[in-house]
Amino acid sequence: MTAPTKKIKPLVAGNWKMHGTGSHLRELGRLNTSLSKHKFGCDVAVCVPATLVHRLSAMKFGAKIMTGGQDCHGAQKGAHTGDVSADMLKDAGAKWVIVGHSERRAEVKRGGHGETSKLVREKVLAAQMAGLRSIVCVGETLAERKSGDTLKVVGAQLRQSLPDTCSAGDIVIAYEPVWAIGTGETASPAQAQEMHAFIRNLISKAYGEVVGNSISILYGGSVKPANAEEIFSKADVDGGLIGGASLKSADFTAIVTASKS
């Protein structure tokens, strides 16, 4: 399959993870001011802790900085103490939600939640019902890459995590090589392109080339101002899911303005 023929508007989404209290929202005020001084051709979202979703939405950045949550439960409501539903995120003003992040898929003994792709699929469906757009994360560990199982692992995660109906209007894929998150390591631009092309081809086979050629595929592995432009320049890379660098307005602005339009 060739690279997409339809131009895809890039998305750069920040993931604050478990960082930030109300005072940290001032950094997004600085981001808004900074972005106002630059030309950029991408959508921008910031996925904040659940306690900040409503407060970020209340800052009324509109489409310039869209609000996202970092996870949701697969049920609309119920006896799930401590969980947040997709409907709750929507009610608080969110437009996006991350599901299936590697830190949630990771084994409990390694500090994760042990989430399966089946559970991720339930969350995607819940997000669709609530009218949220999902950023569905997939990616391999260092051991899986070294064993030559990267395509097998990522392919299985995609097939099992995505619902029967999938469109560019409600789902974005984020490829995050687990070995390149918080380690300072980054997949080379060529490695990123190879995996993004594989994912696009798989989506095209499962949902048709119209979907495959229009769905956004983000790279999520230690993107920084220094490497963003080279990574984003690849044909099948449609932006990034940004971790630590999204917490600093200067760094995040540099990454946003590096995205291809």
Side-chain angles (χ1 to χ4, degrees), residues 16 25 28-29 45-49 51-62 65-68 92-93:
W16 277 21
L25 291 176
L28 293 182
V46 180
C47 298
V48 294
T51 55
L52 298 180
V53 169
H54 183 264
R55 280 180 278 183
L56 172 53
S57 300
M59 295 176 80
K60 299 186 185 303
F61 293 134
I65 304 174
M66 294 178 284
T67 304

Side-chain angles (χ1 to χ4, degrees), residues 105 117 136-141 144-145 148-162 173-179 191 194-200 202-203 217:
R105 289 182 185 264
S117 291
V136 184
C137 301
V138 296
E140 81 283 9
T141 64
E144 290 164 342
R145 173 163 280 271
D149 290 331
T150 295
L151 300 185
K152 177 182 176 182
V153 169
V154 173
Q157 287 177 345
L158 277 169
R159 284 187 287 270
Q160 295 167 20
S161 297
L162 297 180
I173 308 298
Y175 167 63
E176 45 164 12
V178 181
W179 48 272
Q191 288 174 316
E194 177 187 24
M195 288 306 301
H196 281 235
F198 166 74
I199 290 168
R200 195 175 302 283
L202 192 152
I203 296 292
I217 307 173

Side-chain angles (χ1 to χ4, degrees), residues 102-116:
S102 61
E103 291 160 0
R104 298 198 64 89
R105 289 182 185 264
E107 297 176 354
V108 174
K109 65 181 180 182
R110 296 184 179 179
H113 295 260
E115 292 190 0
T116 64

